[in-house]
Amino acid sequence: MKSGSSGGWDRRLILPFVLFVITSIYLATALQITAQFDEGLVGPSFVPVVASILMYIALAFVVLGMRNDTDKAAREKLNLAAPLKVVVATAVYILAFKPLGYPVSTFLYVYALLYIFGLEDTGPLKRIAYTAAITAVFYALFALIFQVRLPLFDTEFWGMF
Amino acid sequence: MDFTLHILGGFAALADPTVLGYMILGFLIGTFFGAVPGLTSVLAIALLLPITYSLDVVPALVMCASIFMSGMYAGSITATTINIPGAPSSMMTSIEGYALMKKGEGANALGHAALGSMIGGVIGSLLLICLTPVAAKLALLIQTPGKFSLILFALIVIVISQRNAIAKGFVATLLGIMIATIGIDVMQPIARFNFGTEVLVEGIDMMPLIIGTFAISEILFQVCENRNSLTVDKKVIDIPPIRRRDFFPTMAEIREIGVWTYLKSAIIGYFIGVLPGAGGSMAAFVSYAEAMRKSKNPDLYGKGSREGIAAAETANNSMCGGAFVPMLMFGIPGDPTTAIVLGVLIINGLQPGPRLLDTQIDLIAPMFASLLISALVLIPLTLYLLGPYFVKIVSIRKAVLYSCIAVVALVGSYVATYSPFQMMLALVFGVLAFFLRQQKYPTVTLLLGFILGPDLEQYLRRALSLNDGNPLTFITSPDSLFFLALTAVFFYFMVIRTPPNAKKA
């Protein structure tokens, strides 16, 4: 455990622990389901309860299996800075998608992604050109070819301010 | 006779310029995604899924079939030329193909890979067309308890085929089943696990789950491994030019491989495709191992065996036909690609099952035709036209590629309901799948658990309701007993009797 631990805590245990918590919330909710009519043992909560119990057992096997796990890559410390930046950029993009509209929000999102992915050997002008091209190509694909109504600019939203 | 006429009608449908255009476009997209290391045909079809809302069902299914066939073949291109399999199913091809490449016979290796893929794809498609009506008749014999046991069999086989990640496979499958229980109950009009919100009452749509699991997680994964700015390093692609005339395998080489090797590999690939969760990698591996076992020149294996390339490529393309059988007849996908094709069917209101051939064969037949034509015509044609340039085409800037994928994935999620909520769900599932993949949990089983979970629950509860809650119905019903016994047999051979070294493989 020492090689993969950080402060005495093996980081591989985090995911099983999170799944354990999710399963516990799920099981507690499943036990509160009230059936509209009696189906006997196998009502609406039967499969969720069985799935929860099986999940606990499977998680126990996963944790026990870690003792024999020789995969060093799984123990290495993971640098989450770049994925976190992508997640934040994506979340902001989703929130801004309707208020700002497709052209502006997508342009900013693609520019951010090109930056995060480290588009090398390119100056800001070339990066803007790439960004504009990607935004335009997919606007053409969705809005013109597949006739999808993409949001342009939510005037009602901005009118509130 | 009616079935034959409908199949011929399917070929006629491909003569429509729009449908033909979508088939060729799908083939080129599949070839690109199959050849670029890190991208797969699964991702290509996942990105296509939202677009199918705007397409007619025939072009959408035709496109899916051609992506599937080309994605399976295209992995052999980079596997042979630069020793990086574009798709996992081309692992065996890279061993033999790259050895030939180093000897200056790379074009010949590519030719053998294309020939094997073409033969395998054609035989697999023909077997699909011929055996689907038989499978439909058999499917009609299965009653409710049997349907439950069949889905249980499929889920267990999918999990135990994960080899050294069986427990993690179970966790991912159960997670998929749990996500699928969100929303209206399968038997009663009550909402489950909506946590007081309205948006969860209708349940989780398949699309954000697919987009999140296969597209968003891939972007997060790639940004972690962003050591090179190009998908294929410039130094690697600096290879001698490939000439078109060298693509053609000689008759002597084909005779040496033997018709039986092609035929046997195609049959192995097809039946592995029928098995739930097995996929192209297993088809290629089993067929390659069998060809080596029976080979007159086993010493050549690992040093550039054309027979090895032929066996692996024939099997993985033949698998495409086999994988459609359980998906179309039982709604049980044979591999991740057909799992997403199942999503396309459902989005377009087609219900898999034995009645599909009676009621909607006119929509399904063009898809069968597309599989066959993609294998027979487009594989050799693409190699001939684009073969010399492929290595250059697949070397592109990662930043541009994954930015494009991100836009298609997220805007695609929006398309289904015109709601940013679907986009947010895709992001949530993407983050979840990223951590699962990072810890080597198989995300394919998550998707299959999500797809098969509701049917599993429905058939279990219906079977018990019809039999006064008596669980013995699963043993007294012959079809159910057959699938339970089959599950036990598979479990015995794949888990209990597996030698320790195979478990570590």
Side-chain angles (χ1 to χ4, degrees), chain B residues 43-67:
Chain B
L43 177 60
I45 298 186
L47 293 173
L48 174 74
L49 187 63
I51 294 170
T52 58
Y53 279 92
S54 314
L55 285 181
D56 285 338
V57 61
V58 169
L61 291 175
V62 159
M63 206 170 170
C64 285
S66 62
I67 289 177

Side-chain angles (χ1 to χ4, degrees), chain A residues 14-104:
Chain A
I14 296 171
L15 187 59
F17 177 73
V18 170
L19 293 175
F20 176 83
V21 173
I22 291 172
T23 307
S24 301
I25 297 167
Y26 179 85
L27 178 60
T29 315
L31 292 171
Q32 291 168 13
I33 296 171
T34 316
Q36 283 220 342
F37 54 86
D38 186 24
E39 280 184 68
L41 179 67
V42 287
S45 60
F46 180 75
V47 165
V49 169
V50 171
S52 305
I53 294 166
L54 291 175
M55 181 65 115
Y56 286 135
I57 296 168
L59 286 173
F61 272 100
V62 168
V63 173
L64 289 172
M66 284 177 186
R67 288 185 306 178
N68 306 324
D69 192 358
T70 51
D71 185 6
K72 284 183 182 170
R75 290 165 179 247
E76 279 171 14
K77 202 170 181 183
L78 187 66
N79 185 3
L80 290 174
L84 189 66
K85 284 178 195 168
V86 172
V87 171
V88 171
T90 308
V92 171
Y93 173 58
I94 294 167
L95 294 173
F97 190 68
K98 269 199 161 174
L100 285 182
Y102 170 89
V104 178

Side-chain angles (χ1 to χ4, degrees), chain B residues 455-488:
Chain B
D455 283 345
L456 185 82
E457 181 176 12
Q458 191 183 358
Y459 292 130
L460 170 71
R461 286 166 64 183
R462 201 178 277 176
L464 288 173
S465 297
L466 292 169
N467 293 283
D468 300 323
N470 183 4
L472 286 176
T473 185
F474 295 110
I475 297 169
T476 53
S477 172
D479 50 349
S480 171
L481 183 64
F482 170 75
F483 289 117
L484 290 178
L486 206 59
T487 310

